[in-house]
Amino acid sequence: MGLRGLPGGAVGTAVGGFEVAFVGGDGIEQRMRLADAWSQRFEDGRPVRRFPSYKGQKHFSDRWWSSTMGRHVGYESWLERDHLMLLDYDPRVVGIAAQPFWLFWTSEQGKGISHAPDYFARLTDGGGLVLDCRPLERIRPRDAVKFAEAESACEMVGWDYRVVGAADAIRVANVRWLAGYRHPRHRLPGVATALREPFCEPTGLMAGAEQVGDPIEVIDPGDEAQRECEKRRDDRIGQAQGGCSPTSAATTAG
């Protein structure tokens, strides 16, 4: 069961006034100073909030199968699903957690405030990326204050923080299509290895597949070929744009 939103400020002085509460992979709830929690493996934990589904709700909650995690990861809206897909596709990301922790702090008025970010992503360099997903035109003043505090908290421990709005529709459609091929049932190691050679340079999907074998047999594990094409294209685009990654290319604010 996930943690409830509790008043901020536990006994003791928290660095910067921030504390976090999370649920480990063993189901045990923990609460500590943010400065002591930066090394926690949130990607191995459990969501601190449930993903409700009920008749008449205004948003859509479900789970997305993540190739990065090898299991389902939850989302509470189509927008969250889109950014979850992009995180799962980003080669820098090696771990993803939905509703990873509660962040607690005390306002200037002495009121305890809590906020649960939408996603935590572990990066290849060991760093962290925290995302809040919200249509930018629908960010209310009180939400903007929470996002600003969350950004300050992440800066204290060296994590990146972003508020992301609608992602590029064409990119989302492409990644969603490719995601279907990233399930283990489509992974044939021998074919996947052979597919890398023809795609060392930009090549049409069918032309590259035909260099390896019958496209009907080769295309099914074509995630490797397709992703190789996409990654090389993203690398070229990223270099032209100053190193922008698929996730950071999303609309951001905050």
Side-chain angles (χ1 to χ4, degrees):
M1 179 181 296
L3 293 168
R4 296 172 296 138
L6 302 174
V11 177
T13 302
V15 175
F18 293 105
E19 296 180 346
V20 292
F22 57 94
V23 183
D26 54 8
I28 298 177
E29 300 179 358
Q30 301 185 58
R31 180 166 172 163
M32 63 183 65
R33 300 186 312 161
L34 174 63
D36 296 330
W38 69 270
S39 61
Q40 293 292 328
R41 293 184 56 84
F42 298 109
E43 64 271 32
D44 295 334
R46 303 181 185 181
V48 296
R49 295 201 300 117
R50 294 183 177 182
F51 298 90
S53 180
Y54 53 88
K55 183 177 181 180
Q57 72 182 78
K58 295 182 180 180
H59 57 85
F60 185 82
S61 299
D62 207 340
R63 299 184 301 163
W64 181 263
W65 193 89
S66 165
S67 176
T68 301
M69 300 303 295
R71 56 179 170 78
H72 288 92
V73 178
Y75 61 85
E76 292 185 298
S77 67
W78 293 126
L79 180 62
E80 288 188 17
R81 182 207 62 185
D82 290 348
H83 284 287
L84 173 56
M85 288 192 302
L86 293 177
L87 287 174
D88 194 36
Y89 191 77
D90 190 331
R92 300 182 309 145
V93 174
V94 295
I96 306 170
Q99 307 291 336
F101 52 78
W102 282 108
L103 180 66
F104 301 107
W105 68 94
T106 303
S107 70
E108 294 180 355
Q109 294 73 33
K111 179 181 179 181
I113 301 175
S114 61
H115 173 62
D118 293 318
Y119 291 107
F120 176 88
R122 181 69 64 190
L123 306 180
T124 52
D125 62 2
L129 169 64
V130 177
L131 290 188
D132 271 310
C133 306
R134 189 70 55 87
L136 303 185
E137 69 279 4
R138 291 169 53 185
I139 296 177
R140 297 171 295 181
R142 67 178 183 179
D143 293 327
V145 171
K146 286 189 173 184
F147 295 158
E149 291 289 346
E151 182 176 23
S152 297
C154 289
E155 288 178 352
M156 289 181 178
V157 291
W159 296 336
D160 292 332
Y161 174 79
R162 300 192 186 110
V163 178
V164 290
D168 179 76
I170 294 177
R171 179 163 184 78
V172 168
N174 287 337
V175 170
R176 185 180 183 184
W177 177 71
L178 292 172
Y181 293 96
R182 300 188 66 200
H183 194 280
R185 63 174 173 267
H186 295 296
R187 293 180 183 172
L188 304 180
V191 174
T193 300
L195 282 169
R196 289 189 173 91
E197 183 174 348
F199 291 98
C200 287
E201 297 295 334
T203 305
L205 178 61
M206 293 299 294
E210 288 173 348
Q211 295 182 43
V212 175
D214 185 344
I216 295 179
E217 298 177 352
V218 171
I219 291 296
D220 198 37
D223 164 54
E224 296 294 340
Q226 296 154 4
R227 197 175 188 209
E228 197 75 20
C229 287
E230 287 271 320
K231 184 178 185 302
R232 294 180 186 280
R233 186 199 66 183
D234 289 338
D235 289 343
R236 295 195 301 274
I237 293 175
Q239 292 170 3
Q241 295 179 346
C244 186
S245 72
T247 302
S248 63
T251 302
T252 63

